[in-house]
């Protein structure tokens, strides 16, 4: 005799089933258990929201730091210098006295000097002749010009040039060196020779502008200016 009637125990017995509510929805046995079943619209399902984890910096790539780019114009300006001689003036007595001006690259400069331009001003009423020498021997009585400045005036302290402007009086032609160019400068006129860095002055060498009067009884009065880049 079964305490709860026939079918109690491990099963319900053949042909006996529990009294179940026929309105209950059972899953379709043909649907895979891994599939999401539709939820009855009458059921309120509260799905817990996963809390946001703090961002520990994982999965982020470090920002690439770009070097500050300097334009070629700014870089050139930082290494550019310009200056001029004092007024170079001699009278025809004693005869044969002439004037010179050089852009000099000292032997210990550790840079190359690239000439950008030369400007020669004739301040007399007569023409004069300018001869440009490469690598002449510098006269011993040359003076160094203090009229030299960097092209970039925004730096404090300013850049110091390695190149030097030297000038003086020379009774004879320059010793050694090669004449690279000759120009006749009209009266009360300035001429500019644009070089764009094509003439490069190595350490221990110089480029000289040698000025003579076009006629024997003429005075010499001139200013020579240089602009250069140091590399």
């Amino acid at each position: 005799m079964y305490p709860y009637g026939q079918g109690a125990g491990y099963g319900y017995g053949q042909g006996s089933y529990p009294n179940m509510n026929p309105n209950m929805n059972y899953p379709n046995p043909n649907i895979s258990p891994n599939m999401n079943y539709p939820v009855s619209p009458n059921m309120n399902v509260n799905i817990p929201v996963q809390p946001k984890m703090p961002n520990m910096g994982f999965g982020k790539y470090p920002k690439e730091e770009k070097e500050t780019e300097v334009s070629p114009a700014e870089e050139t300006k930082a290494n550019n210098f310009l200056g001029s001689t004092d007024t170079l003036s001699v009278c025809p007595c004693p005869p044969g006295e002439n004037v010179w001006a050089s852009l000099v690259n000292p032997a210990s400069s550790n840079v190359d000097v690239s000439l950008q331009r030369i400007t020669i001003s004739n301040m007399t009423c007569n023409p004069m002749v300018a001869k440009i020498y490469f690598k002449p021997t510098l006269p011993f009585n040359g003076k160094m010009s203090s009229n030299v400045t960097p092209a970039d005036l925004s730096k404090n302290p300013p850049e110091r040039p390695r190149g030097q402007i030297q000038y003086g009086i020379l009774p004879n032609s320059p010793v050694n060196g090669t004449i690279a160019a000759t120009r006749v400068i009209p009266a009360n006129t300035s001429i500019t020779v644009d070089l764009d860095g094509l003439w490069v002055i190595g350490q221990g060498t110089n480029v000289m502008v040698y000025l003579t009067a076009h006629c024997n009884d003429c005075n010499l009065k001139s200013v020579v200016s240089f602009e250069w880049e140091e590399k």
Side-chain angles (χ1 to χ4, degrees):
M1 185 157 186
Y2 299 99
Y4 296 102
Q6 189 174 1
Y10 292 103
Y12 293 107
Q14 189 173 2
S16 298
Y17 298 95
N19 185 15
M20 295 183 180
N21 187 348
N23 295 325
M24 291 184 65
N25 295 324
Y26 293 96
N28 190 339
N30 297 322
I31 299 178
S32 170
N34 294 327
M35 297 180 63
N36 296 323
Y37 303 115
V39 179
S40 172
N42 298 325
M43 298 176 62
N44 295 324
V45 180
N46 295 324
I47 301 176
V49 179
Q50 185 176 2
K52 228 177 188 181
M53 298 295 292
N55 189 353
M56 304 300 291
F58 298 107
K60 284 190 174 181
Y61 294 97
K63 291 184 179 180
E64 183 180 355
E65 295 184 0
K66 294 183 179 180
E67 295 183 1
T68 304
E69 295 183 357
V70 180
S71 68
E74 290 177 339
E75 186 175 357
T76 300
K77 183 175 67 173
N79 299 320
N80 256 30
F81 302 91
L82 61 157
S84 64
T85 65
D86 292 334
T87 300
L88 306 173
S89 179
V90 293
C91 63
C93 299
E97 270 197 351
N98 303 302
V99 295
W100 62 275
S102 281
L103 180 58
V104 181
N105 186 2
S108 58
S109 69
N110 295 321
V111 296
D112 287 334
V113 171
S114 300
L115 255 172
Q116 301 297 322
R117 63 184 49 86
I118 303 173
T119 301
I120 307 168
S121 298
N122 181 2
M123 301 175 178
T124 69
C125 298
N126 298 285
M128 66 174 58
V129 178
K131 296 181 179 180
I132 299 177
Y133 281 77
F134 276 18
K135 300 175 66 173
T137 301
L138 286 173
F140 66 90
N141 61 346
K143 297 179 180 179
M144 186 182 303
S145 175
S146 59
N147 304 321
V148 176
T149 178
D152 187 356
L153 302 180
S154 64
K155 293 190 175 182
N156 189 17
E159 294 285 342
R160 298 184 62 183
R162 309 289 181 87
Q164 302 171 356
I165 296 177
Q166 297 184 20
Y167 62 92
I169 297 174
L170 188 62
N172 302 306
S173 297
V175 178
N176 302 319
T178 304
I179 298 178
T182 301
R183 298 285 189 274
V184 176
I185 306 173
N188 298 312
T189 303
S190 295
I191 67 166
T192 298
V193 182
D194 287 314
L195 302 167
D196 296 326
L198 296 177
W199 293 1
V200 180
I201 307 173
Q203 300 177 50
T205 59
N206 71 95
V207 168
M208 176 185 289
V209 177
Y210 177 66
L211 299 171
T212 61
H214 194 264
C215 14
N216 293 331
D217 58 347
C218 297
N219 294 332
L220 282 173
K221 191 174 183 182
S222 176
V223 171
V224 180
S225 303
F226 298 93
E227 183 176 339
W228 71 95
E229 181 184 358
E230 297 181 358
K231 298 181 180 179

